[in-house]
Amino acid sequence: MTATDERERERGRRRVLADLTPLRTSAHFRRLWFGNTVSWVGQGMTALAVSLQVYDLTRSPFSVGLVGLFSLVPLVVFGLYGGAVADTVDRRRLGLVAAAGSAALSVSLAAAAFAGFHRVGFLYGVVALQAVCAALNAPARNAMIPRLLPPEQLPAANALNSMVTTFGTLVGPSLGGLIVGFSGYQTAYLVDAVAFTASLYAMWRLPPMLPDRRKGRRASVLDGLRFLATRPNLRMTFFSDFCAMILAHPRALFPAVAVLWYGGDAKTTGLLVAAPACGALLGGVLSGWQGRVRHHGRAILLAVACWGTAIAVFGLTRNLWLGLLFLALAGYSDTVSMIFRNTMMQVAAPDEMRGRLQGVFIAVVAGGPRLGDFLAGSVADLTSPAVAVTGGGIACVVAVGLLALYGRGFRRYDALAPTP
């Protein structure tokens, strides 16, 4: 094989596989990406360990469910507030403080476990404070990326970041279960605290990320929402995500579906939960083609329509492996949509608004699926799981089709000439 043939082969791989250019060209992004990967795995471990500990103390599934509620409310509320803070202060310093707070909270969980202090209220309080730290950290961290990389590398960077989230979601709980089983809760919490040092080191090595003093120091949540209300293309990124997350989100029905459709059990439910995550991870790994897409709005609409179609077909099949395939396709489509939505927010929005838009993004990502769970469960109780799943998928496709008709500017959005 000649050198030319080898180069062509390498280009072909890059067209399919994730573009690693941001990791090669920016040491700051590389450290941040690695640190986030380690800390996401640690957070996944702690999330599972807390749920297991709450169940051991209460033997109540309802009490375990409250763990999610105690994390959801701070994520939504402080996600919006954290975005405003990120537009006012040094984003690097804010990220450092938030990551240090998360590490300290993991240490407190470990210390309580070692001391034999087992109180459900304490666990709920720590979970809520961890959510506050995460809500302050995420807008600052995501708003930093456009300052570290040129615009043409942002789709690749967002694809790589999507892999971090999915990898942590898949690996963290599994690893946490093993560590709790072999060494107890305190070890899982300690490992999480140590894992945060990678994120702290990455933040420490970043240059200062000060706001533009010419824009003033005031940065309110309401100003961010007003800005979003007057920017149709950015607003459409959220509307399109609502179509998928609220209308076609069958996660709450997986336990019933596993039994009624497939005659399965908890293991079957686990497969149903894992399938979209595996598809999402594949969406990041096979993201090399996305850097050549110019019309991001059109790509988002198509990806959301594919999500809805995959969910609708999943609701019609009664073959487990075929159902898992369509759930994986839905997860892949969701990652494609997320990459382009995040890129639009980073490129089309001015720097002084990026933190607040990322805060809104966190609130939507945290709250949208919960609303989808409620809607799917309500429709299934009134009709059947099949109607809820397939009907939700069809409703998603119809809704995104109406958005496509309404949002002509969104369909024409050009990454080479971004307009919010």
Side-chain angles (χ1 to χ4, degrees), residues 62-88:
F62 175 76
S63 298
V64 177
L66 286 178
V67 173
L69 181 63
F70 275 95
S71 64
L72 171 63
V73 174
L75 272 176
V76 172
V77 175
F78 284 91
L80 295 172
Y81 176 73
V85 174
D87 287 335
T88 307

Side-chain angles (χ1 to χ4, degrees), residues 265-290:
D265 52 15
K267 294 182 181 133
T268 310
T269 303
L271 289 174
L272 295 174
V273 172
C278 290
L281 183 60
L282 197 63
V285 173
L286 304 179
S287 60
W289 58 273
Q290 295 174 25

Side-chain angles (χ1 to χ4, degrees), residues 137-163:
N137 189 10
R141 186 179 63 241
N142 290 331
M144 292 177 191
I145 305 300
R147 290 197 185 184
L148 301 177
L149 298 168
E152 63 272 12
Q153 291 185 21
L154 290 178
N158 288 317
L160 292 168
N161 285 334
S162 75
M163 294 166 61

Side-chain angles (χ1 to χ4, degrees), residues 128-403:
L129 291 174
Q130 285 178 328
V132 171
C133 290
L136 294 174
N137 189 10
R141 186 179 63 241
N142 290 331
M144 292 177 191
I145 305 300
R147 290 197 185 184
L148 301 177
L149 298 168
E152 63 272 12
Q153 291 185 21
L154 290 178
N158 288 317
L160 292 168
N161 285 334
S162 75
M163 294 166 61
V164 168
T165 305
T166 310
F167 181 78
T169 303
L170 285 172
V171 174
S174 302
L175 190 58
L178 290 174
I179 292 177
V180 169
F182 283 106
S183 302
Y185 303 111
Q186 61 272 19
T187 304
Y189 298 142
L190 275 180
V191 171
D192 183 25
V194 173
F196 268 109
T197 60
S199 180
L200 284 167
Y201 175 75
M203 290 280 188
W204 182 263
R205 293 293 302 275
L206 289 173
M209 298 279 179
L210 296 169
D212 188 345
R213 300 302 184 191
R214 293 172 298 177
K215 304 295 183 179
R217 292 187 58 85
R218 182 177 176 272
S220 72
V221 174
L222 289 178
D223 285 344
L225 295 176
R226 291 190 192 101
F227 171 83
L228 187 60
T230 59
R231 301 303 189 275
N233 287 336
L234 294 177
R235 193 169 63 243
M236 283 284 285
T237 64
F238 293 101
F239 288 161
S240 61
D241 191 42
F242 278 138
C243 292
M245 294 297 99
I246 296 178
L247 298 177
H249 198 260
R251 180 183 59 188
L253 305 180
F254 284 164
V257 164
V259 175
L260 297 176
W261 294 2
Y262 306 119
D265 52 15
K267 294 182 181 133
T268 310
T269 303
L271 289 174
L272 295 174
V273 172
C278 290
L281 183 60
L282 197 63
V285 173
L286 304 179
S287 60
W289 58 273
Q290 295 174 25
R292 298 187 300 278
V293 175
R294 287 178 53 182
H295 299 288
H296 291 181
R298 199 174 302 167
I300 292 169
L301 294 172
L302 288 173
V304 175
C306 288
W307 163 280
T309 302
I311 295 298
V313 177
F314 164 70
L316 296 174
T317 183
R318 296 298 178 268
N319 178 280
L320 176 59
W321 299 111
L322 193 59
L324 294 174
L325 172 63
F326 281 105
L327 286 176
L329 289 174
Y332 178 91
S333 301
D334 184 47
T335 292
V336 173
S337 168
M338 185 277 295
I339 290 170
F340 287 120
R341 284 185 289 115
N342 225 340
T343 301
M344 284 183 64
M345 281 189 290
Q346 291 170 336
V347 175
D351 182 73
E352 67 270 14
M353 286 290 174
R354 284 176 183 151
R356 277 165 283 185
L357 290 183
Q358 289 296 332
V360 175
F361 182 80
I362 290 172
V364 169
V365 169
R370 272 71 176 189
L371 291 175
D373 289 342
F374 174 76
L375 179 62
S378 300
V379 174
D381 279 344
L382 294 172
T383 56
S384 70
V387 172
V389 175
T390 300
I394 294 172
C396 171
V397 174
V398 171
V400 80
L402 293 175
L403 285 180

Side-chain angles (χ1 to χ4, degrees), residues 14 17-25 29 33 153 156 160 163:
R14 290 181 182 177
L17 299 178
D19 184 358
L20 303 181
T21 303
L23 296 176
R24 289 195 296 264
T25 60
F29 178 79
W33 184 84
Q153 291 185 21
L160 292 168
M163 294 166 61

